[in-house]
Amino acid sequence: EAGVAQSPRYKIIEKRQSVAFWCNPISGHATLYWYQQILGQGPKLLIQFQNNGVVDDSQLPKDRFSAERLKGVDSTLKIQPAKLEDSAVYLCASSSWGELFFGEGSRLTVL
Amino acid sequence: AQKVTQAQTEISVVEKEDVTLDCVYETRDTTYYLFWYKQPPSGELVFLIRRNSFDEQNEISGRYSWNFQKSTSSFNFTITASQVVDSAVYFCALSEARRETSGSRLTFGEGTQLTVNP
């Protein structure tokens, strides 16, 4: 069974630029999550989708972050404009029956 | 609000020593799940265990064991006879117990960096 796929693995941008991350969940998983993991901290949920609907986006900084999951499969997370404090690993996860499976993450460095 | 505390930021042991990673949680839910994840240097979060709040039986899986004590809101993780390959960051996490198919957000602790020296 293929795991959660994410791209790109690494991205370096300057502040005020934009960036987008892509996630392809495990086939058949209805629930998809985006987490932000700042260096030295635990992951923090940004947004949770159930199929193509948003279940929880209470911790998503909506002035600069946006996410979508068209057709209830792949998802993209966008940051525009990026700030220095957005430097982090962005983890995508999908779940079925309560167990979360994480991708390898996309590491963002904002200079 | 849910909260997970891993008081040990870093632990360093010598190979073959036993090591226990502490996890204390807070929740108002009566039903919830507890998790442990391993994050090796490669960065991927590897699922280790999930525990339902109604099941307080301790669990052993090879060199790993978990001690769940609801009375003290703790879910500690012990590695017996540690090995260099156990070196990683370990995260304890908590989630609500929603319907299984809808998934639940995880609240993570800050992690414990375990270093096992040869």
Side-chain angles (χ1 to χ4, degrees), chain B residues 13-30:
Chain B
V13 299
V14 176
E15 205 169 18
K16 297 183 184 177
E17 286 185 6
D18 299 347
V19 58
T20 295
L21 309 182
D22 298 333
C23 173
V24 174
Y25 62 91
E26 298 175 28
T27 180
R28 293 181 181 178
D29 297 328
T30 55

Side-chain angles (χ1 to χ4, degrees), chain A residues 23-41:
Chain A
C23 172
N24 180 243
I26 293 173
S27 177
H29 283 191
T31 310
L32 184 148
Y33 313 77
W34 283 101
Y35 281 83
Q36 179 193 56
Q37 186 178 17
I38 294 172
L39 185 65
Q41 299 182 15

Side-chain angles (χ1 to χ4, degrees), chain A residues 4 42 72-73 79:
Chain A
V4 176
V73 182
I79 307 174

Side-chain angles (χ1 to χ4, degrees), chain B residues 20-117:
Chain B
T20 295
L21 309 182
D22 298 333
C23 173
V24 174
Y25 62 91
E26 298 175 28
T27 180
R28 293 181 181 178
D29 297 328
T30 55
T31 304
Y32 48 89
Y33 288 100
L34 293 163
F35 301 77
W36 275 95
Y37 282 85
K38 174 181 180 180
Q39 189 172 46
S42 61
E44 187 173 356
L45 279 165
V46 178
F47 169 84
L48 295 178
I49 189 171
R50 179 181 68 169
R51 213 72 181 136
N52 184 306
S53 54
F54 289 118
D55 183 1
E56 290 194 65
Q57 279 192 342
N58 292 332
E59 181 158 340
I60 298 175
S61 176
R63 295 184 299 107
Y64 296 168
S65 63
W66 290 271
N67 184 324
F68 175 29
Q69 294 196 344
K70 211 167 181 178
S71 60
T72 56
S73 297
S74 65
F75 186 44
N76 296 337
F77 172 32
T78 297
I79 302 175
T80 302
S82 60
Q83 300 176 1
V84 173
V85 294
D86 295 328
S87 296
V89 181
Y90 290 86
F91 290 98
C92 180
L94 169 68
S95 80
E96 304 164 315
R98 294 184 185 177
R99 287 185 299 115
E100 290 277 10
T101 52
S102 68
S104 293
R105 56 179 289 176
L106 289 178
T107 299
F108 284 85
E110 295 299 294
T112 297
Q113 169 71 61
L114 173 65
T115 302
V116 181
N117 298 299

Side-chain angles (χ1 to χ4, degrees), chain A:
Chain A
E1 179 181 84
V4 176
Q6 291 188 245
S7 68
R9 287 295 311 280
Y10 305 94
K11 189 74 176 179
I12 300 173
I13 61 174
E14 296 188 350
K15 60 183 179 183
R16 290 187 288 273
Q17 288 186 323
S18 62
V19 63
F21 301 113
W22 172 83
C23 172
N24 180 243
I26 293 173
S27 177
H29 283 191
T31 310
L32 184 148
Y33 313 77
W34 283 101
Y35 281 83
Q36 179 193 56
Q37 186 178 17
I38 294 172
L39 185 65
Q41 299 182 15
K44 289 181 174 56
L45 180 71
L46 291 176
I47 189 167
Q48 176 185 348
F49 291 96
Q50 178 70 15
N51 296 310
N52 61 349
V54 176
V55 174
D56 184 349
D57 64 355
S58 57
Q59 298 188 88
L60 186 74
K62 297 180 185 64
D63 58 332
R64 298 181 300 105
F65 286 65
S66 65
E68 60 182 11
R69 192 183 183 197
L70 299 176
K71 301 180 182 178
V73 182
D74 294 4
S75 177
T76 55
L77 175 70
K78 297 179 181 178
I79 307 174
Q80 181 180 9
K83 292 185 174 181
L84 296 177
E85 58 261 37
D86 298 333
S87 294
V89 176
Y90 291 86
L91 294 161
C92 180
S94 66
S95 72
S96 177
W97 298 99
E99 181 177 336
L100 268 69
F101 296 85
F102 285 85
E104 292 182 313
S106 295
R107 183 178 297 276
L108 173 66
T109 301
V110 182
L111 303 176

